[in-house]
Amino acid sequence: MGVASPQPPAWLTLDGQAASAPAGVPVPGPAARTRAALHGTLVGVLGLPSWYGHNWDALADALADRLDTGPLTLVVTDAADLLADESPVHLGTLLDVLGGVAAGSHETLRVVLREHPDRLPALRARIAAALGGHVGAPPADAG
């Protein structure tokens, strides 16, 4: 019997409606294939402050500050391209950062990973691999 993939956390949605207009702040996946490109893209789409340090800790701080003003939905279009040119560990780190911000805020953070239906299974597998062993996975001693 195979091991079940962890379910995405409540703040994360995988969406196969690639043709529909995003409801939220659009983040183009093709513009965020590397960490540097992701940080630069987020500066542009979210208008992050001048102190933003283009690293994971700064992202957590900037998103937490942004959530002080109200809920936020990020819609990553062509999401299979998100951090595609980086080691898979960086996608896991990004998801950890987003999950921590979502859990620690009084306002709602939602992240929608939107992809063409044909590419959605591969994206689901990539997200499940990135989440495996931490966020959303059953405890190691569950039996």
Side-chain angles (χ1 to χ4, degrees):
M1 180 187 287
V3 175
S5 296
Q7 293 298 312
W11 54 267
L12 180 63
T13 303
L14 280 77
D15 180 10
Q17 302 299 317
S20 63
V25 177
V27 178
R33 293 184 63 89
T34 65
R35 285 175 289 159
L38 171 64
H39 291 292
T41 298
L42 292 175
V43 165
V45 300
L46 292 174
L48 295 178
S50 60
W51 56 258
Y52 181 67
H54 297 258
N55 60 57
W56 299 126
D57 289 335
L59 179 60
D61 292 343
L63 288 175
D65 287 352
R66 167 53 186 82
L67 286 170
D68 286 343
T69 67
L72 173 63
T73 299
L74 298 174
V75 181
V76 181
T77 57
D78 298 314
D81 290 327
L82 179 64
L83 296 174
D85 294 340
E86 294 284 355
S87 163
V89 73
H90 294 294
L91 179 59
T93 301
L94 173 62
L95 295 173
D96 283 346
V97 167
L98 295 171
V101 171
S105 178
H106 296 296
E107 291 292 345
T108 303
L109 172 65
R110 287 189 60 231
V111 178
V112 178
L113 300 180
R114 185 164 283 171
E115 187 52 77
H116 187 277
D118 292 344
R119 294 178 69 187
L120 196 57
L123 177 61
R124 281 189 194 284
R126 191 169 163 234
I127 296 301
L131 292 173
H134 43 258
V135 179
D141 59 352

PDB file of all heavy atoms in Angstrom, residues 5-9 11 88-97 99-100 126-140:
ATOM      1  N   SER A   5      -0.389  11.177  -0.202  1.00  0.00           N
ATOM      2  CA  SER A   5       0.202  12.507  -0.233  1.00  0.00           C
ATOM      3  C   SER A   5      -0.503  13.400   0.770  1.00  0.00           C
ATOM      4  O   SER A   5      -1.707  13.280   0.963  1.00  0.00           O
ATOM      5  CB  SER A   5       0.044  13.117  -1.633  1.00  0.00           C
ATOM      6  OG  SER A   5       0.745  12.373  -2.579  1.00  0.00           O
ATOM      7  N   PRO A   6       0.233  14.307   1.401  1.00  0.00           N
ATOM      8  CA  PRO A   6      -0.415  15.232   2.318  1.00  0.00           C
ATOM      9  C   PRO A   6      -1.358  16.145   1.557  1.00  0.00           C
ATOM     10  O   PRO A   6      -1.109  16.490   0.404  1.00  0.00           O
ATOM     11  CB  PRO A   6       0.745  16.010   2.933  1.00  0.00           C
ATOM     12  CG  PRO A   6       1.878  15.843   1.986  1.00  0.00           C
ATOM     13  CD  PRO A   6       1.663  14.532   1.292  1.00  0.00           C
ATOM     14  N   GLN A   7      -2.432  16.509   2.193  1.00  0.00           N
ATOM     15  CA  GLN A   7      -3.375  17.455   1.605  1.00  0.00           C
ATOM     16  C   GLN A   7      -2.808  18.863   1.757  1.00  0.00           C
ATOM     17  O   GLN A   7      -2.143  19.156   2.751  1.00  0.00           O
ATOM     18  CB  GLN A   7      -4.726  17.357   2.312  1.00  0.00           C
ATOM     19  CG  GLN A   7      -5.440  16.045   2.073  1.00  0.00           C
ATOM     20  CD  GLN A   7      -5.769  15.842   0.606  1.00  0.00           C
ATOM     21  OE1 GLN A   7      -6.288  16.724  -0.057  1.00  0.00           O
ATOM     22  NE2 GLN A   7      -5.430  14.675   0.082  1.00  0.00           N
ATOM     23  N   PRO A   8      -3.092  19.726   0.798  1.00  0.00           N
ATOM     24  CA  PRO A   8      -2.645  21.112   0.961  1.00  0.00           C
ATOM     25  C   PRO A   8      -3.289  21.720   2.204  1.00  0.00           C
ATOM     26  O   PRO A   8      -4.419  21.384   2.552  1.00  0.00           O
ATOM     27  CB  PRO A   8      -3.141  21.814  -0.304  1.00  0.00           C
ATOM     28  CG  PRO A   8      -3.372  20.727  -1.297  1.00  0.00           C
ATOM     29  CD  PRO A   8      -3.749  19.516  -0.495  1.00  0.00           C
ATOM     30  N   PRO A   9      -2.590  22.613   2.872  1.00  0.00           N
ATOM     31  CA  PRO A   9      -3.176  23.290   4.028  1.00  0.00           C
ATOM     32  C   PRO A   9      -4.356  24.163   3.602  1.00  0.00           C
ATOM     33  O   PRO A   9      -4.516  24.483   2.417  1.00  0.00           O
ATOM     34  CB  PRO A   9      -2.022  24.129   4.574  1.00  0.00           C
ATOM     35  CG  PRO A   9      -1.015  24.195   3.478  1.00  0.00           C
ATOM     36  CD  PRO A   9      -1.230  23.015   2.592  1.00  0.00           C
ATOM     37  N   TRP A  11      -5.014  27.239   3.722  1.00  0.00           N
ATOM     38  CA  TRP A  11      -4.730  28.535   3.101  1.00  0.00           C
ATOM     39  C   TRP A  11      -4.283  28.394   1.641  1.00  0.00           C
ATOM     40  O   TRP A  11      -4.167  29.392   0.931  1.00  0.00           O
ATOM     41  CB  TRP A  11      -3.662  29.308   3.897  1.00  0.00           C
ATOM     42  CG  TRP A  11      -2.411  28.543   4.132  1.00  0.00           C
ATOM     43  CD1 TRP A  11      -2.111  27.777   5.218  1.00  0.00           C
ATOM     44  CD2 TRP A  11      -1.288  28.418   3.244  1.00  0.00           C
ATOM     45  NE1 TRP A  11      -0.877  27.194   5.065  1.00  0.00           N
ATOM     46  CE2 TRP A  11      -0.349  27.575   3.867  1.00  0.00           C
ATOM     47  CE3 TRP A  11      -0.992  28.946   1.985  1.00  0.00           C
ATOM     48  CZ2 TRP A  11       0.864  27.242   3.282  1.00  0.00           C
ATOM     49  CZ3 TRP A  11       0.214  28.613   1.398  1.00  0.00           C
ATOM     50  CH2 TRP A  11       1.131  27.777   2.032  1.00  0.00           C
ATOM     51  N   PRO A  88      14.090  21.956  -5.295  1.00  0.00           N
ATOM     52  CA  PRO A  88      12.756  21.789  -4.690  1.00  0.00           C
ATOM     53  C   PRO A  88      12.673  22.252  -3.239  1.00  0.00           C
ATOM     54  O   PRO A  88      11.603  22.618  -2.770  1.00  0.00           O
ATOM     55  CB  PRO A  88      12.500  20.285  -4.796  1.00  0.00           C
ATOM     56  CG  PRO A  88      13.362  19.823  -5.915  1.00  0.00           C
ATOM     57  CD  PRO A  88      14.575  20.704  -5.890  1.00  0.00           C
ATOM     58  N   VAL A  89      13.793  22.290  -2.545  1.00  0.00           N
ATOM     59  CA  VAL A  89      13.770  22.729  -1.150  1.00  0.00           C
ATOM     60  C   VAL A  89      13.266  24.166  -1.028  1.00  0.00           C
ATOM     61  O   VAL A  89      12.643  24.530  -0.032  1.00  0.00           O
ATOM     62  CB  VAL A  89      15.155  22.543  -0.485  1.00  0.00           C
ATOM     63  CG1 VAL A  89      16.154  23.560  -0.991  1.00  0.00           C
ATOM     64  CG2 VAL A  89      15.033  22.608   1.015  1.00  0.00           C
ATOM     65  N   HIS A  90      13.488  24.988  -2.040  1.00  0.00           N
ATOM     66  CA  HIS A  90      13.071  26.387  -1.971  1.00  0.00           C
ATOM     67  C   HIS A  90      11.555  26.528  -2.078  1.00  0.00           C
ATOM     68  O   HIS A  90      10.978  27.422  -1.446  1.00  0.00           O
ATOM     69  CB  HIS A  90      13.802  27.229  -3.010  1.00  0.00           C
ATOM     70  CG  HIS A  90      15.258  27.301  -2.726  1.00  0.00           C
ATOM     71  ND1 HIS A  90      15.782  27.921  -1.610  1.00  0.00           N
ATOM     72  CD2 HIS A  90      16.321  26.780  -3.382  1.00  0.00           C
ATOM     73  CE1 HIS A  90      17.087  27.795  -1.604  1.00  0.00           C
ATOM     74  NE2 HIS A  90      17.440  27.098  -2.673  1.00  0.00           N
ATOM     75  N   LEU A  91      10.915  25.660  -2.831  1.00  0.00           N
ATOM     76  CA  LEU A  91       9.450  25.674  -2.859  1.00  0.00           C
ATOM     77  C   LEU A  91       8.919  25.292  -1.481  1.00  0.00           C
ATOM     78  O   LEU A  91       7.979  25.908  -0.977  1.00  0.00           O
ATOM     79  CB  LEU A  91       8.902  24.735  -3.935  1.00  0.00           C
ATOM     80  CG  LEU A  91       7.383  24.668  -4.031  1.00  0.00           C
ATOM     81  CD1 LEU A  91       6.771  26.039  -4.329  1.00  0.00           C
ATOM     82  CD2 LEU A  91       6.966  23.641  -5.086  1.00  0.00           C
ATOM     83  N   GLY A  92       9.532  24.310  -0.853  1.00  0.00           N
ATOM     84  CA  GLY A  92       9.136  23.934   0.500  1.00  0.00           C
ATOM     85  C   GLY A  92       9.327  25.078   1.483  1.00  0.00           C
ATOM     86  O   GLY A  92       8.475  25.326   2.346  1.00  0.00           O
ATOM     87  N   THR A  93      10.428  25.800   1.352  1.00  0.00           N
ATOM     88  CA  THR A  93      10.683  26.949   2.226  1.00  0.00           C
ATOM     89  C   THR A  93       9.637  28.028   2.003  1.00  0.00           C
ATOM     90  O   THR A  93       9.107  28.596   2.968  1.00  0.00           O
ATOM     91  CB  THR A  93      12.099  27.501   2.003  1.00  0.00           C
ATOM     92  OG1 THR A  93      13.040  26.460   2.279  1.00  0.00           O
ATOM     93  CG2 THR A  93      12.373  28.697   2.888  1.00  0.00           C
ATOM     94  N   LEU A  94       9.321  28.317   0.742  1.00  0.00           N
ATOM     95  CA  LEU A  94       8.284  29.308   0.450  1.00  0.00           C
ATOM     96  C   LEU A  94       6.964  28.896   1.080  1.00  0.00           C
ATOM     97  O   LEU A  94       6.285  29.717   1.715  1.00  0.00           O
ATOM     98  CB  LEU A  94       8.121  29.484  -1.064  1.00  0.00           C
ATOM     99  CG  LEU A  94       6.943  30.362  -1.497  1.00  0.00           C
ATOM    100  CD1 LEU A  94       7.093  31.787  -0.972  1.00  0.00           C
ATOM    101  CD2 LEU A  94       6.791  30.332  -3.011  1.00  0.00           C
ATOM    102  N   LEU A  95       6.581  27.640   0.933  1.00  0.00           N
ATOM    103  CA  LEU A  95       5.319  27.171   1.514  1.00  0.00           C
ATOM    104  C   LEU A  95       5.357  27.247   3.040  1.00  0.00           C
ATOM    105  O   LEU A  95       4.342  27.592   3.666  1.00  0.00           O
ATOM    106  CB  LEU A  95       5.009  25.757   1.038  1.00  0.00           C
ATOM    107  CG  LEU A  95       4.742  25.621  -0.464  1.00  0.00           C
ATOM    108  CD1 LEU A  95       4.625  24.158  -0.857  1.00  0.00           C
ATOM    109  CD2 LEU A  95       3.512  26.407  -0.886  1.00  0.00           C
ATOM    110  N   ASP A  96       6.499  26.962   3.638  1.00  0.00           N
ATOM    111  CA  ASP A  96       6.642  27.102   5.093  1.00  0.00           C
ATOM    112  C   ASP A  96       6.452  28.555   5.524  1.00  0.00           C
ATOM    113  O   ASP A  96       5.783  28.841   6.520  1.00  0.00           O
ATOM    114  CB  ASP A  96       8.009  26.613   5.561  1.00  0.00           C
ATOM    115  CG  ASP A  96       8.130  25.104   5.615  1.00  0.00           C
ATOM    116  OD1 ASP A  96       7.100  24.403   5.547  1.00  0.00           O
ATOM    117  OD2 ASP A  96       9.272  24.619   5.728  1.00  0.00           O
ATOM    118  N   VAL A  97       7.071  29.480   4.788  1.00  0.00           N
ATOM    119  CA  VAL A  97       6.942  30.902   5.099  1.00  0.00           C
ATOM    120  C   VAL A  97       5.476  31.328   4.988  1.00  0.00           C
ATOM    121  O   VAL A  97       4.926  31.959   5.897  1.00  0.00           O
ATOM    122  CB  VAL A  97       7.831  31.765   4.173  1.00  0.00           C
ATOM    123  CG1 VAL A  97       7.478  33.239   4.273  1.00  0.00           C
ATOM    124  CG2 VAL A  97       9.304  31.537   4.498  1.00  0.00           C
ATOM    125  N   GLY A  99       2.810  29.475   5.117  1.00  0.00           N
ATOM    126  CA  GLY A  99       2.026  28.816   6.156  1.00  0.00           C
ATOM    127  C   GLY A  99       2.204  29.467   7.508  1.00  0.00           C
ATOM    128  O   GLY A  99       1.237  29.633   8.263  1.00  0.00           O
ATOM    129  N   GLY A 100       3.420  29.851   7.823  1.00  0.00           N
ATOM    130  CA  GLY A 100       3.679  30.533   9.089  1.00  0.00           C
ATOM    131  C   GLY A 100       2.982  31.874   9.164  1.00  0.00           C
ATOM    132  O   GLY A 100       2.407  32.232  10.196  1.00  0.00           O
ATOM    133  N   ARG A 126       4.221  18.062  -7.236  1.00  0.00           N
ATOM    134  CA  ARG A 126       5.332  18.903  -6.792  1.00  0.00           C
ATOM    135  C   ARG A 126       5.024  19.554  -5.447  1.00  0.00           C
ATOM    136  O   ARG A 126       5.886  19.603  -4.564  1.00  0.00           O
ATOM    137  CB  ARG A 126       5.590  19.964  -7.870  1.00  0.00           C
ATOM    138  CG  ARG A 126       6.843  20.733  -7.682  1.00  0.00           C
ATOM    139  CD  ARG A 126       7.152  21.568  -8.923  1.00  0.00           C
ATOM    140  NE  ARG A 126       8.109  22.575  -8.541  1.00  0.00           N
ATOM    141  CZ  ARG A 126       7.963  23.872  -8.723  1.00  0.00           C
ATOM    142  NH1 ARG A 126       6.901  24.342  -9.336  1.00  0.00           N
ATOM    143  NH2 ARG A 126       8.881  24.706  -8.322  1.00  0.00           N
ATOM    144  N   ILE A 127       3.799  20.026  -5.281  1.00  0.00           N
ATOM    145  CA  ILE A 127       3.396  20.642  -4.014  1.00  0.00           C
ATOM    146  C   ILE A 127       3.369  19.592  -2.908  1.00  0.00           C
ATOM    147  O   ILE A 127       3.846  19.826  -1.795  1.00  0.00           O
ATOM    148  CB  ILE A 127       2.029  21.343  -4.147  1.00  0.00           C
ATOM    149  CG1 ILE A 127       2.128  22.510  -5.132  1.00  0.00           C
ATOM    150  CG2 ILE A 127       1.516  21.805  -2.791  1.00  0.00           C
ATOM    151  CD1 ILE A 127       3.135  23.580  -4.764  1.00  0.00           C
ATOM    152  N   ALA A 128       2.824  18.417  -3.206  1.00  0.00           N
ATOM    153  CA  ALA A 128       2.785  17.344  -2.207  1.00  0.00           C
ATOM    154  C   ALA A 128       4.196  16.967  -1.772  1.00  0.00           C
ATOM    155  O   ALA A 128       4.449  16.754  -0.585  1.00  0.00           O
ATOM    156  CB  ALA A 128       2.049  16.130  -2.760  1.00  0.00           C
ATOM    157  N   ALA A 129       5.128  16.900  -2.716  1.00  0.00           N
ATOM    158  CA  ALA A 129       6.520  16.582  -2.374  1.00  0.00           C
ATOM    159  C   ALA A 129       7.116  17.680  -1.501  1.00  0.00           C
ATOM    160  O   ALA A 129       7.829  17.393  -0.537  1.00  0.00           O
ATOM    161  CB  ALA A 129       7.340  16.390  -3.645  1.00  0.00           C
ATOM    162  N   ALA A 130       6.811  18.937  -1.825  1.00  0.00           N
ATOM    163  CA  ALA A 130       7.342  20.054  -1.036  1.00  0.00           C
ATOM    164  C   ALA A 130       6.736  20.082   0.361  1.00  0.00           C
ATOM    165  O   ALA A 130       7.407  20.473   1.321  1.00  0.00           O
ATOM    166  CB  ALA A 130       7.071  21.379  -1.750  1.00  0.00           C
ATOM    167  N   LEU A 131       5.493  19.659   0.500  1.00  0.00           N
ATOM    168  CA  LEU A 131       4.830  19.650   1.805  1.00  0.00           C
ATOM    169  C   LEU A 131       5.167  18.409   2.615  1.00  0.00           C
ATOM    170  O   LEU A 131       4.995  18.395   3.826  1.00  0.00           O
ATOM    171  CB  LEU A 131       3.309  19.715   1.628  1.00  0.00           C
ATOM    172  CG  LEU A 131       2.740  21.010   1.070  1.00  0.00           C
ATOM    173  CD1 LEU A 131       1.258  20.859   0.800  1.00  0.00           C
ATOM    174  CD2 LEU A 131       3.009  22.162   2.020  1.00  0.00           C
ATOM    175  N   GLY A 132       5.633  17.364   1.950  1.00  0.00           N
ATOM    176  CA  GLY A 132       5.878  16.088   2.619  1.00  0.00           C
ATOM    177  C   GLY A 132       6.838  16.224   3.790  1.00  0.00           C
ATOM    178  O   GLY A 132       7.869  16.862   3.693  1.00  0.00           O
ATOM    179  N   GLY A 133       6.449  15.615   4.902  1.00  0.00           N
ATOM    180  CA  GLY A 133       7.313  15.607   6.059  1.00  0.00           C
ATOM    181  C   GLY A 133       7.130  16.775   6.991  1.00  0.00           C
ATOM    182  O   GLY A 133       7.672  16.770   8.082  1.00  0.00           O
ATOM    183  N   HIS A 134       6.378  17.799   6.590  1.00  0.00           N
ATOM    184  CA  HIS A 134       6.122  18.892   7.531  1.00  0.00           C
ATOM    185  C   HIS A 134       4.688  19.372   7.394  1.00  0.00           C
ATOM    186  O   HIS A 134       3.796  18.662   7.805  1.00  0.00           O
ATOM    187  CB  HIS A 134       7.160  20.016   7.451  1.00  0.00           C
ATOM    188  CG  HIS A 134       7.557  20.435   6.072  1.00  0.00           C
ATOM    189  ND1 HIS A 134       8.727  20.039   5.493  1.00  0.00           N
ATOM    190  CD2 HIS A 134       6.948  21.208   5.153  1.00  0.00           C
ATOM    191  CE1 HIS A 134       8.826  20.570   4.280  1.00  0.00           C
ATOM    192  NE2 HIS A 134       7.753  21.272   4.074  1.00  0.00           N
ATOM    193  N   VAL A 135       4.432  20.519   6.826  1.00  0.00           N
ATOM    194  CA  VAL A 135       3.088  21.074   6.783  1.00  0.00           C
ATOM    195  C   VAL A 135       2.111  20.106   6.119  1.00  0.00           C
ATOM    196  O   VAL A 135       2.307  19.687   4.993  1.00  0.00           O
ATOM    197  CB  VAL A 135       3.087  22.415   6.011  1.00  0.00           C
ATOM    198  CG1 VAL A 135       1.694  23.003   5.933  1.00  0.00           C
ATOM    199  CG2 VAL A 135       4.039  23.394   6.661  1.00  0.00           C
ATOM    200  N   GLY A 136       1.061  19.756   6.815  1.00  0.00           N
ATOM    201  CA  GLY A 136      -0.012  18.951   6.253  1.00  0.00           C
ATOM    202  C   GLY A 136       0.211  17.465   6.277  1.00  0.00           C
ATOM    203  O   GLY A 136      -0.683  16.711   5.974  1.00  0.00           O
ATOM    204  N   ALA A 137       1.391  17.003   6.625  1.00  0.00           N
ATOM    205  CA  ALA A 137       1.652  15.573   6.650  1.00  0.00           C
ATOM    206  C   ALA A 137       1.217  14.978   7.983  1.00  0.00           C
ATOM    207  O   ALA A 137       1.267  15.644   9.001  1.00  0.00           O
ATOM    208  CB  ALA A 137       3.133  15.309   6.419  1.00  0.00           C
ATOM    209  N   PRO A 138       0.797  13.712   7.986  1.00  0.00           N
ATOM    210  CA  PRO A 138       0.449  13.092   9.268  1.00  0.00           C
ATOM    211  C   PRO A 138       1.694  12.912  10.123  1.00  0.00           C
ATOM    212  O   PRO A 138       2.806  12.854   9.596  1.00  0.00           O
ATOM    213  CB  PRO A 138      -0.129  11.731   8.847  1.00  0.00           C
ATOM    214  CG  PRO A 138       0.393  11.481   7.486  1.00  0.00           C
ATOM    215  CD  PRO A 138       0.635  12.826   6.856  1.00  0.00           C
ATOM    216  N   PRO A 139       1.533  12.848  11.446  1.00  0.00           N
ATOM    217  CA  PRO A 139       2.694  12.647  12.313  1.00  0.00           C
ATOM    218  C   PRO A 139       3.416  11.354  11.963  1.00  0.00           C
ATOM    219  O   PRO A 139       2.792  10.372  11.555  1.00  0.00           O
ATOM    220  CB  PRO A 139       2.083  12.556  13.723  1.00  0.00           C
ATOM    221  CG  PRO A 139       0.730  13.151  13.596  1.00  0.00           C
ATOM    222  CD  PRO A 139       0.290  12.977  12.174  1.00  0.00           C
ATOM    223  N   ALA A 140       4.716  11.334  12.134  1.00  0.00           N
ATOM    224  CA  ALA A 140       5.531  10.174  11.775  1.00  0.00           C
ATOM    225  C   ALA A 140       5.144   8.937  12.572  1.00  0.00           C
ATOM    226  O   ALA A 140       5.272   7.828  12.087  1.00  0.00           O
ATOM    227  CB  ALA A 140       7.011  10.489  11.981  1.00  0.00           C
TER     228      ALA A 140
END
